[in-house]
């Protein structure tokens, strides 16, 4: 159950302007993004980081979704969106399930396994070990490593806000539309 009353778009032109921007970049504003509408400028700035992570980073769709699934694995809201997006990006359901348990799937090799280990450490209390960083550094460019870190950090914040605000899950139709939107974005 949502903990704050929704922002009335008709009474808040600043929020209405941000929603228009979100529609341009994402097709539609999710319930989680709308829940942040009481701080329109904060929403704008946080959403800009999310837009970068989702649509403009150097990561492949598969790596991006591995990062997001691991980071958001304890958020039912995040998993309602990114579980299907991960499958769409080529991660099997068994692999998604393993990532949700906080384990590296036995089928992962190379960069997939290194990214999974890195993000599991990145999202832990002790952060990333030297060995984990060096493993990723041997397989990815500095930009890719930075993009993995930015994407994970964004989704930590996003999942925490969605959970704290008690965001209502988006409809199945919304998630299907999001899958189509993301597919088109990933295909260029």
């Amino acid at each position: 159950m949502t903990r704050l009353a929704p922002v009335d778009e008709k009474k808040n032109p600043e929020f209405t302007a941000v929603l228009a921007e979100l529609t341009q970049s994402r097709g539609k504003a999710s319930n989680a993004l709308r829940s942040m509408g009481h701080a329109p400028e904060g929403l704008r700035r946080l959403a800009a980081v999310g837009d970068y992570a989702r649509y403009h980073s150097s990561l492949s769709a598969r790596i991006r979704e591995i990062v997001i699934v691991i980071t958001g694995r304890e958020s039912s809201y995040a998993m309602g969106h990114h579980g299907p997006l991960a499958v769409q990006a080529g991660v099997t359901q068994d692999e998604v399930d393993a990532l949700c348990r906080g384990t590296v799937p036995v089928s992962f090799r190379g960069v997939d396994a290194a990214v999974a280990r890195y993000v599991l450490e990145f999202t832990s209390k002790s952060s990333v070990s030297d060995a984990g960083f060096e493993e990723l550094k041997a397989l990815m460019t500095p930009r890719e490593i930075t993009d993995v870190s930015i994407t994970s950090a964004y989704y930590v914040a996003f999942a925490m806000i969605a959970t704290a605000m008690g965001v209502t899950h988006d409809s199945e139709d919304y998630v299907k539309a999001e899958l189509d939107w993301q597919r088109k974005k990933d295909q260029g």
Side-chain angles (χ1 to χ4, degrees), residues 110-186:
V111 71
D112 289 355
V115 165
R117 281 189 285 276
Y118 178 87
V119 177
L120 285 166
E121 289 185 5
F122 184 88
T123 57
S124 73
K125 291 179 183 173
S126 57
S127 195
V128 179
S129 66
D130 289 341
F133 196 89
E134 290 302 317
E135 178 185 23
L136 199 59
K137 195 172 163 185
L139 297 167
M140 296 185 101
T141 67
R143 176 169 179 187
E144 290 169 325
I145 294 167
T146 303
D147 282 343
V148 166
S149 301
I150 288 170
T151 300
S152 187
Y154 169 76
Y155 280 95
V156 166
F158 189 89
M160 291 175 78
I161 293 167
T163 300
M165 296 286 197
V167 173
T168 304
H169 288 238
D170 292 295
S171 70
E172 191 174 311
D173 287 341
Y174 178 90
V175 174
K176 285 180 185 176
E178 180 182 32
L179 286 164
D180 290 339
W181 182 266
Q182 187 69 60
R183 184 180 306 111
K184 290 174 189 169
K185 289 284 196 172
D186 287 343

Side-chain angles (χ1 to χ4, degrees), residues 7-16:
V7 177
D8 186 343
E9 297 168 44
K10 295 175 185 162
K11 294 180 181 178
N12 190 323
E14 188 181 4
F15 178 56
T16 302

